């Protein structure tokens, strides 16, 4: 019995592989290393280099390993890039996922944990956002993930695929050994840390004309270890016969870009040089989770909900 983790060399995937191993699961990773890092996966974890849409590769993995469930992390996940290169997002995140699902179902792997996103909601009309909130994404990234959600529901109905689609809010922070190392980096917290360290000249603040108290956009930041823990709970929920579900993962607290800048500067003990820039295309103004379903359905409890601890963990990891 083993779990196939796609994108296991990426940020959230690699932390989850660690968490699965700590719970005694056997793990197999497939990753094309387009954005991940080979060294983020321990040497004793079986590793397959390639695309999730490569049907013969997936067939080979299923033939060579006793896979009973798949956690699907691999995807492109930059809102701004998705607006500029939608073709790349729909091909990688949707078309390749369809091929992966075909091969899993053909191979009898009927449990699937999917990395979905709060970007599937679009601009919210109620805060906090619960899972019944309407879904009308403001960018191709969100649509590429929503298409997969719709496909999963249809496959449950037609083929009996059982899934948990976890709608992440903003993943942040690090464990002692795994953290965020995107290239190029586009996320707020790592860029603010780089600006504080003098590694980049300044942080760009994308827009201060949002309908929020300080005019900058608000997000709900969740520690990557808490995300990983929810994945382990989701797979065990499916193993125990749980029904397919869509579940938010966030802390229920919203912080503006300017608040993040303040906390980063407090944690690092240095100013974060910043300049004001126009809004980034595709960004909603405010995304805050109602994560009560994660607690009631999965029994999830965040261990590191405090923003300062989240940012400190990212800082420590960068400085290791
Ligand atoms: N942001 C910013 N400057 C940056 C990167 C991000 O002002 O250099 C803002 C971005 O517009 C959004 C928030 O910070 O409102 C979080 O962005 P991030 O890219 O970290 O995550 P996303 O919400 O896009 O998943």
């Amino acid at each position: 019995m083993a779990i196939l983790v796609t994108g296991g060399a990426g940020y959230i995937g690699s932390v989850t592989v660690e968490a699965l191993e700590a719970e005694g699961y056997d793990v197999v990773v497939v990753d094309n290393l387009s954005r991940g890092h080979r060294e983020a996966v321990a040497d004793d974890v079986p590793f397959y280099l390639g695309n999730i849409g490569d049907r013969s590769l997936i067939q080979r993995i299923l033939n060579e390993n006793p896979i009973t469930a798949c956690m699907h992390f691999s995807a492109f996940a930059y809102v701004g890039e998705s607006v500029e290169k939608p073709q790349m997002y729909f091909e990688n995140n949707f078309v390749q996922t369809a091929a992966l699902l075909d091969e899993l179902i053909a191979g009898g792997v009927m449990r699937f944990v999917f990395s979905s996103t709060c970007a599937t909601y679009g601009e919210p009309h109620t805060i906090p956002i619960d899972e019944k909130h309407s879904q009308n994404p403001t960018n191709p990234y969100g649509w590429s993930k929503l298409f997969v959600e719709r496909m999963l529901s249809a496959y449950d109905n037609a083929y009996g695929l059982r899934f948990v689609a976890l709608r992440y809010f903003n993943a942040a922070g690090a464990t002692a050994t795994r953290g965020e190392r995107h290239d190029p980096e586009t996320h707020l917290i790592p860029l603010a840390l780089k600006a504080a360290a003098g590694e980049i000249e300044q942080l760009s603040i994308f827009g201060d004309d949002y309908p929020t108290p300080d005019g900058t956009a608000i997000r709900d930041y969740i520690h990557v270890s808490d995300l990983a823990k929810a994945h382990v709970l989701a797979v065990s929920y499916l193993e125990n016969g749980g029904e397919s579900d869509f579940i938010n993962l966030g802390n229920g607290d919203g912080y503006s870009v300017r608040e993040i800048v303040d906390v980063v500067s407090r944690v690092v003990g240095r100013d974060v040089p910043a300049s004001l820039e126009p809004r980034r295309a595709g960004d909603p103004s405010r995304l805050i989770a109602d994560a009560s379903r994660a607690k009631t359905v999965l029994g999830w409890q965040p261990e590191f909900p405090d923003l300062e601890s989240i940012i400190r963990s990212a800082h420590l990891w960068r400085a290791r």
Side-chain angles (χ1 to χ4, degrees):
M1 212 183 97
I3 314 267
L4 175 62
V5 178
T6 77
Y11 171 43
I12 306 170
S14 65
V15 174
T16 305
V17 168
E18 234 181 3
L20 283 167
E21 291 215 294
E23 289 296 316
Y25 283 98
D26 287 331
V27 178
V28 175
V29 168
V30 58
D31 199 304
N32 65 8
L33 298 182
S34 68
R35 300 226 161 143
H37 307 274
R38 179 64 183 89
E39 63 276 18
V41 184
D43 288 339
D44 61 347
V45 175
F47 181 88
Y48 291 82
L49 178 67
N51 291 326
I52 53 147
D54 178 344
R55 291 168 182 270
S56 56
L57 174 64
I58 301 300
Q59 287 162 11
R60 181 155 76 83
I61 294 172
L62 299 189
N63 283 334
E64 291 176 357
N65 303 276
I67 305 292
T68 53
C70 175
M71 287 190 185
H72 178 35
F73 293 92
S74 67
F76 292 139
Y78 296 159
V79 166
E81 182 181 62
S82 81
V83 174
E84 282 156 27
K85 300 176 181 168
Q87 205 172 31
M88 183 175 138
Y89 273 68
F90 288 117
E91 199 283 326
N92 192 51
N93 295 3
F94 178 65
V95 175
Q96 294 219 29
T97 299
L100 169 70
L101 280 168
D102 281 355
E103 296 310 323
L104 290 173
I105 290 170
V109 178
M110 302 303 273
R111 294 179 190 135
F112 195 73
V113 180
F114 177 55
S115 299
S116 190
T117 167
C118 61
T120 60
Y121 293 116
E123 190 64 41
H125 49 78
T126 50
I127 293 282
I129 301 170
D130 70 17
E131 292 83 355
K132 292 197 175 66
H133 191 285
S134 57
Q135 289 177 293
N136 188 19
T138 55
N139 53 66
Y141 165 61
W143 281 110
S144 72
K145 291 285 183 171
L146 183 54
F147 287 1
V148 175
E149 284 199 0
R150 295 291 192 267
M151 189 163 51
L152 292 175
S153 292
Y155 285 13
D156 178 340
N157 183 49
Y159 312 127
L161 178 77
R162 294 289 181 267
F163 68 87
V164 176
L166 296 170
R167 294 180 185 150
Y168 312 160
F169 283 64
N170 284 60
T175 67
T177 51
R178 306 272 186 279
E180 198 165 7
R181 200 153 39 107
H182 296 116
D183 186 20
E185 187 53 77
T186 67
H187 291 114
L188 177 61
I189 292 176
L191 284 173
L193 288 165
K194 275 177 189 276
E199 285 171 32
I200 55 171
E201 211 171 298
Q202 54 191 2
L203 173 75
S204 299
I205 294 179
F206 295 140
D208 73 345
D209 56 350
Y210 285 102
T212 61
D214 69 16
T216 63
I218 289 178
R219 296 288 181 274
D220 179 345
Y221 295 87
I222 171 171
H223 195 287
V224 65
S225 289
D226 286 330
L227 275 183
K229 206 165 62 176
H231 287 77
V232 179
L233 291 168
V235 87
S236 115
Y237 164 84
L238 291 174
E239 282 167 350
N240 291 321
E243 292 291 304
S244 296
D245 213 336
F246 300 94
I247 296 179
N248 284 342
L249 289 175
N251 283 310
D253 302 313
Y255 295 95
S256 73
V257 174
R258 285 204 192 283
E259 287 174 312
I260 296 294
V261 167
D262 288 347
V263 178
V264 167
S265 123
R266 193 159 68 236
V267 164
V268 178
R270 287 201 211 154
D271 279 348
V272 175
S275 67
L276 187 60
E277 306 289 339
R279 290 184 184 195
R280 188 173 67 181
D283 273 344
S285 59
R286 185 190 294 250
L287 294 169
I288 303 173
D290 175 340
S292 41
R293 268 191 89 66
K295 293 170 186 160
T296 54
V297 175
L298 301 180
W300 177 75
Q301 277 299 335
E303 209 177 315
F304 310 104
D306 168 59
L307 179 67
E308 197 159 318
S309 318
I310 294 174
I311 291 181
R312 183 165 305 107
S313 73
H315 175 51
L316 288 174
W317 188 77
R318 277 173 42 81
R320 77 202 183 285

